[in-house]
Amino acid sequence: METITLTPVIGGPAEHRFWRLGREPSTVSAARRLIRRQLMEWAADELAEDASVITSELVTNALLHARGPIVLTLRLLPGTGAGVRIDVLDQGPCDGPGRTGIAPPASPPEHMETGGRGLHLVACLAHDWGSVSGADGHTVWAVLRGPAGSPMSPCPKGSSSL
């Protein structure tokens, strides 16, 4: 049974979608499918692979480290080939309103460690990313740029540092 409730923004622009996610194990794979489907609808297929990985990592972190509902948002950025922004909002632990600048651990996990790679992957794939906390909860966001204006990410794809 699908654990995702598709909730498009009522009265919002066609370039903005959000979904309320369940807290079941199948949530991560369902979120990936939603992101891929929406990017195909927007003819932004070239972003689907990286967006899918980023979505997996952010939703997984929300499931593991937060409580309450999770909201996944996808926004098509203005301009031809400009890209997308992915937001994952949760009610997770935070240091209070206004906290920003969540960062991956100072060094990648050791080779045999089974976790700790998620935010390193996000940092490598996203053009920009961060977090903000407020009255609604804690949001971690990532921006992917389209091919028209893609500067190199800070972590080259294929890097062995992951």
Side-chain angles (χ1 to χ4, degrees), residues 8-17:
V9 175
I10 308 284
E15 302 83 19
H16 182 177
R17 295 287 182 262

mmCIF file of all heavy atoms in Angstrom, residues 8-17:
data_model
loop_
_atom_site.group_PDB
_atom_site.id
_atom_site.type_symbol
_atom_site.label_atom_id
_atom_site.label_comp_id
_atom_site.label_asym_id
_atom_site.label_seq_id
_atom_site.Cartn_x
_atom_site.Cartn_y
_atom_site.Cartn_z
ATOM 1 N N PRO A 8 -0.747 18.426 -3.938
ATOM 2 C CA PRO A 8 -0.219 19.565 -4.676
ATOM 3 C C PRO A 8 -0.653 20.870 -4.013
ATOM 4 O O PRO A 8 -1.682 20.927 -3.350
ATOM 5 C CB PRO A 8 -0.830 19.441 -6.063
ATOM 6 C CG PRO A 8 -1.704 18.259 -6.057
ATOM 7 C CD PRO A 8 -1.726 17.675 -4.687
ATOM 8 N N VAL A 9 0.147 21.890 -4.203
ATOM 9 C CA VAL A 9 -0.178 23.199 -3.637
ATOM 10 C C VAL A 9 -1.482 23.684 -4.256
ATOM 11 O O VAL A 9 -1.616 23.751 -5.464
ATOM 12 C CB VAL A 9 0.958 24.209 -3.923
ATOM 13 C CG1 VAL A 9 0.579 25.591 -3.458
ATOM 14 C CG2 VAL A 9 2.232 23.746 -3.269
ATOM 15 N N ILE A 10 -2.456 24.000 -3.408
ATOM 16 C CA ILE A 10 -3.744 24.501 -3.883
ATOM 17 C C ILE A 10 -3.570 25.970 -4.288
ATOM 18 O O ILE A 10 -3.135 26.786 -3.491
ATOM 19 C CB ILE A 10 -4.817 24.412 -2.776
ATOM 20 C CG1 ILE A 10 -4.867 23.006 -2.191
ATOM 21 C CG2 ILE A 10 -6.167 24.885 -3.279
ATOM 22 C CD1 ILE A 10 -5.535 21.974 -3.002
ATOM 23 N N GLY A 11 -3.890 26.278 -5.521
ATOM 24 C CA GLY A 11 -3.798 27.658 -5.980
ATOM 25 C C GLY A 11 -2.373 28.132 -6.205
ATOM 26 O O GLY A 11 -2.146 29.280 -6.513
ATOM 27 N N GLY A 12 -1.401 27.248 -6.030
ATOM 28 C CA GLY A 12 -0.006 27.627 -6.230
ATOM 29 C C GLY A 12 0.380 27.492 -7.689
ATOM 30 O O GLY A 12 -0.373 26.991 -8.516
ATOM 31 N N PRO A 13 1.581 27.941 -8.015
ATOM 32 C CA PRO A 13 2.035 27.839 -9.397
ATOM 33 C C PRO A 13 2.270 26.390 -9.795
ATOM 34 O O PRO A 13 2.512 25.534 -8.952
ATOM 35 C CB PRO A 13 3.343 28.636 -9.380
ATOM 36 C CG PRO A 13 3.797 28.612 -7.966
ATOM 37 C CD PRO A 13 2.551 28.536 -7.122
ATOM 38 N N ALA A 14 2.232 26.133 -11.080
ATOM 39 C CA ALA A 14 2.447 24.784 -11.600
ATOM 40 C C ALA A 14 3.865 24.310 -11.350
ATOM 41 O O ALA A 14 4.143 23.126 -11.433
ATOM 42 C CB ALA A 14 2.143 24.766 -13.097
ATOM 43 N N GLU A 15 4.774 25.224 -11.029
ATOM 44 C CA GLU A 15 6.175 24.889 -10.818
ATOM 45 C C GLU A 15 6.494 24.560 -9.365
ATOM 46 O O GLU A 15 7.649 24.588 -8.957
ATOM 47 C CB GLU A 15 7.069 26.056 -11.258
ATOM 48 C CG GLU A 15 6.891 26.470 -12.700
ATOM 49 C CD GLU A 15 5.708 27.419 -12.906
ATOM 50 O OE1 GLU A 15 5.251 28.043 -11.938
ATOM 51 O OE2 GLU A 15 5.240 27.511 -14.040
ATOM 52 N N HIS A 16 5.496 24.279 -8.562
ATOM 53 C CA HIS A 16 5.706 24.066 -7.126
ATOM 54 C C HIS A 16 4.793 22.923 -6.676
ATOM 55 O O HIS A 16 3.588 23.007 -6.818
ATOM 56 C CB HIS A 16 5.364 25.358 -6.393
ATOM 57 C CG HIS A 16 5.572 25.319 -4.913
ATOM 58 N ND1 HIS A 16 5.359 26.405 -4.132
ATOM 59 C CD2 HIS A 16 5.956 24.347 -4.062
ATOM 60 C CE1 HIS A 16 5.592 26.113 -2.864
ATOM 61 N NE2 HIS A 16 5.962 24.861 -2.819
ATOM 62 N N ARG A 17 5.385 21.871 -6.129
ATOM 63 C CA ARG A 17 4.614 20.729 -5.646
ATOM 64 C C ARG A 17 5.087 20.353 -4.247
ATOM 65 O O ARG A 17 6.266 20.466 -3.941
ATOM 66 C CB ARG A 17 4.793 19.517 -6.553
ATOM 67 C CG ARG A 17 4.246 19.695 -7.938
ATOM 68 C CD ARG A 17 2.723 19.666 -7.916
ATOM 69 N NE ARG A 17 2.172 19.797 -9.231
ATOM 70 C CZ ARG A 17 1.729 20.931 -9.749
ATOM 71 N NH1 ARG A 17 1.796 22.037 -9.052
ATOM 72 N NH2 ARG A 17 1.220 20.970 -10.948
#
